[in-house]
Amino acid sequence: MRYIKHKILAFPVLAAAVLSACTDNDYAELNMGYDELKLSASANEVVLYEKNHALEAVKLEWTTGNNQGTGKRISYTLELAEAGTAYADPYIVKDAEQQVYDWAPTVDQLNHILLQNLGILPGETVALDARLTARVDGIENDQVSEVSFSATTYQPVTETLFMIGDATPNGWSADDATEMTRTDNGVFTWTGNLAAGDFKFILKQGEYLPSYNNNGDGTLVYRTDDAQPDDKFSVSEAHCYKVDVNLLDLTVSYTQVEGVQPPYSTLYFVGEETDWGFRQMNQDPVDPFLFRLGIFFTKGGEFKFGTAEGSWENMYKAPRENAPYTDQEVQFVKGFDPDPKWMLDASETNLAYKICLDIRPGAERMMMSLFTRYTEMFMVGDATPNGWDLGNATAMTLDATDPDIFVWSGHLNEGELKFSADRQSDWNGAWFMATADGEAPTGEPQRVLFINKSDDACQAQYKDVSVGSLDNKWRIGAAGDYTVTLNQLLEEVTIVKN
């Protein structure tokens, strides 16, 4: 296990949250009497391991206490603090109003609370105090019960992992490393074409260290210094591979798989609009053969598509010189020549367009269309103030200076969220949704999947996917005040907890 050597700053104290049991009528019927409030813990010592991240870490449960025969509701506040701090800076457990008499965080949740909210170091064993306060309206004295236990934390492994090497699509450049998909704590996967050559794994784009290398026996070893061995994993035959990594077990496997894969995982728009600079396109999260880009054209002129940044070889080009942007035919040119391009006339500029390039070998298409901006945008989901009521969905505000941007600030609940551009009553309209169901906000710009379920042109772009079945939502993990910014042209969203 690796430990961080510096103190992690605690987050601000959360607003007090109340754990509520029954309704007033429930208490009148049950007549809680004068039972003593008693808080207990399922263990005195808890050692947290990330391998067990989804399991229950500890269970704190309590008796109901009493309402002195009043029939009134009892409300509970549960606080967790480092022992000896007299609850000066506690973590206050939050729960919805429901009949609950326990709190059982997972290993992952408790470790996060200890590191991020109480400022405990990874790998440290800390003594903890838990205090439960029960209150009854109209009764002056609160009921209080406490329990103590200890917990040993861990340093979570990285949430991002990238492949680099001459076997990978983008070579040894750390700035252009191939990102893997995280499927669970410490578990990553990637499927695509690998060439004969070597590769290893890095944690962040642009940084060669730390890395995960070959330990000499085909397992992973964590490397933090250039003086340490730099052994790689090797691919002997170019093919399509499925690469699976488990950082908790330090295992890696890469096996050949059948099925057609895109010949490239990264593409670039190149033309007069970008002064012949290479602007990276976005690979579609549903169909990896599709690459997308939204551009507001001010110059127009010629353009084509590159497969490697800065390289004029191996490009996707127009079928003929000065092809109109409506011409969908594409030719892939190995080498440099011929070099025909699409042309956007001056009369077609000062407008926004969306481009979708399909690189299925032998069936390539370039689909470019004028983008008509939406003038309204709405948030819907149980995380939003108005829940799943589409007709009363929460409206966003159009930015005063950028007609592509919508902004909203306010309170979000724990739950799901997506965006409707038209509030079509049958739910088959235009949606901006997460690239994968349950995707968590990062506080940074994230890709958005735009789907118009009523648009035949949208469905026509997807040859093997029914757009009507797509329903990905973001998952808001913690209630609080947020600022949400959606860029409909760039198809990006930023969800920041204030």
Side-chain angles (χ1 to χ4, degrees):
M1 181 180 292
R2 306 184 308 281
Y3 302 140
I4 293 178
K5 302 299 184 184
H6 60 279
K7 187 73 171 177
I8 299 177
L9 296 178
F11 281 17
V13 179
L14 300 182
V18 175
L19 301 171
S20 299
C22 305
T23 65
D24 293 350
N25 289 336
D26 291 331
Y27 281 108
E29 294 172 4
L30 294 174
N31 188 8
M32 304 309 296
Y34 295 92
D35 292 340
E36 179 185 2
L37 183 72
K38 180 67 174 177
L39 176 66
S40 61
S42 61
N44 295 323
E45 299 178 357
V46 179
V47 180
L48 305 176
Y49 297 102
E50 192 166 11
K51 285 185 179 181
N52 302 327
H53 64 92
L55 301 181
E56 179 180 294
V58 65
K59 188 174 187 178
L60 302 182
E61 52 188 344
W62 51 90
T63 60
T64 60
N66 72 82
N67 59 10
Q68 299 187 19
T70 62
K72 292 184 178 180
R73 159 182 290 176
I74 301 177
S75 63
Y76 303 98
T77 300
L78 179 62
E79 300 168 278
L80 187 67
E82 188 172 357
T85 62
Y87 301 96
D89 192 17
Y91 174 81
I92 303 175
V93 178
K94 181 169 185 179
D95 203 343
E97 289 194 4
Q98 53 185 318
Q99 187 174 340
V100 291
Y101 300 103
D102 61 61
W103 178 59
T106 65
V107 168
D108 197 35
Q109 290 168 339
L110 183 58
N111 193 69
H112 180 85
I113 289 168
L114 297 179
L115 267 59
Q116 302 298 335
N117 294 91
L118 297 186
I120 309 303
L121 288 171
E124 180 179 323
T125 300
V126 59
L128 297 167
D129 290 335
R131 179 172 66 185
L132 181 73
T133 303
R135 298 181 176 89
V136 180
D137 289 343
I139 296 179
E140 182 176 350
N141 295 325
D142 294 338
Q143 303 162 67
V144 178
S145 181
E146 297 186 54
V147 70
S148 298
F149 64 99
S150 69
T152 303
T153 60
Y154 61 85
Q155 172 61 49
V157 297
T158 179
E159 293 189 354
T160 58
L161 194 67
F162 301 84
M163 300 170 55
I164 60 170
D166 51 7
T168 68
N170 299 322
W172 287 107
S173 171
D175 294 329
D176 199 24
T178 300
E179 185 172 8
M180 303 188 71
T181 300
R182 179 181 182 272
T183 60
D184 202 348
N185 288 44
V187 180
F188 298 84
T189 188
W190 177 85
T191 301
N193 295 326
L194 292 178
D198 298 333
F199 68 96
K200 61 179 181 179
F201 306 93
I202 59 175
L203 279 62
K204 296 180 180 180
Q205 279 190 326
E207 299 181 13
Y208 286 100
L209 290 173
S211 65
Y212 282 93
N213 289 60
N214 192 336
N215 199 27
D217 58 2
T219 62
L220 295 162
V221 62
Y222 187 67
R223 181 172 181 264
T224 60
D225 192 283
D226 283 329
Q228 295 172 325
D230 191 21
D231 295 335
K232 290 94 172 172
F233 299 93
S234 295
V235 175
S236 59
E237 179 185 359
H239 203 276
C240 180
Y241 288 82
K242 185 175 186 291
V243 183
D244 293 301
V245 174
N246 189 319
L247 300 182
L248 303 182
D249 294 336
L250 295 176
T251 58
V252 60
S253 66
Y254 44 106
T255 54
Q256 293 185 358
V257 295
E258 297 305 321
V260 179
Q261 297 294 323
Y264 298 96
S265 59
T266 308
L267 290 181
Y268 301 86
F269 173 92
V270 189
E272 292 182 64
E273 182 64 28
T274 60
D275 295 325
W276 296 105
F278 286 67
R279 183 175 298 179
Q280 186 170 339
M281 304 180 74
N282 299 309
Q283 191 172 29
D284 191 284
V286 176
D287 185 341
F289 289 91
L290 302 182
F291 289 81
R292 300 183 178 279
L293 188 64
I295 303 181
F296 186 85
F297 282 84
T298 60
K299 301 176 184 177
E302 297 178 324
F303 64 90
K304 54 185 176 178
F305 302 91
T307 58
E309 187 169 10
S311 174
W312 302 100
E313 298 182 79
N314 304 326
M315 304 188 82
Y316 290 94
K317 302 180 181 181
R320 60 193 65 83
E321 287 290 350
N322 299 322
Y325 78 86
T326 53
D327 194 334
Q328 295 189 7
E329 189 177 347
V330 176
Q331 62 172 320
F332 177 72
V333 178
K334 299 190 69 172
F336 299 93
D337 296 313
D339 193 28
K341 309 168 191 71
W342 288 273
M343 168 65 73
L344 194 69
D345 293 331
S347 61
E348 298 168 321
T349 60
N350 293 317
L351 295 168
Y353 293 81
K354 286 196 174 182
I355 300 171
C356 176
L357 180 63
D358 187 343
I359 61 170
R360 285 175 171 79
E364 293 90 345
R365 299 175 295 161
M366 199 285 290
M367 295 161 282
M368 180 172 171
S369 60
L370 186 65
F371 176 56
T372 302
R373 296 182 175 97
Y374 293 100
T375 58
E376 294 181 303
M377 194 67 59
F378 304 88
M379 305 192 318
V380 65
D382 54 1
T384 69
N386 298 321
W388 289 108
D389 184 355
L390 183 58
N392 194 33
T394 302
M396 302 183 73
T397 301
L398 187 64
D399 186 86
T401 59
D402 191 332
D404 292 318
I405 293 178
F406 290 89
V407 180
W408 178 87
S409 292
H411 185 84
L412 291 178
N413 304 310
E414 179 181 349
E416 295 179 325
L417 163 69
K418 58 181 179 177
F419 302 90
S420 171
D422 54 12
R423 289 193 298 178
Q424 190 164 307
S425 60
D426 62 359
W427 296 78
N428 285 320
W431 294 96
F432 290 86
M433 57 181 68
T435 57
D437 197 35
E439 185 176 0
T442 64
E444 300 293 332
Q446 293 172 270
R447 301 306 321 160
V448 171
L449 174 63
F450 172 70
I451 294 294
N452 190 338
K453 299 185 178 186
S454 297
D455 184 5
D456 291 340
C458 179
Q459 178 60 73
Q461 293 178 357
Y462 292 96
K463 290 194 170 183
D464 302 315
V465 176
S466 171
V467 298
S469 66
L470 298 174
D471 190 30
N472 299 336
K473 282 89 67 177
W474 281 273
R475 178 72 189 179
I476 306 300
D481 293 329
Y482 287 78
T483 296
V484 182
T485 305
L486 176 69
N487 189 314
Q488 59 177 324
L489 178 61
L490 300 183
E491 297 182 359
E492 289 182 346
V493 68
T494 306
I495 304 175
V496 179
K497 197 170 190 292
N498 299 330

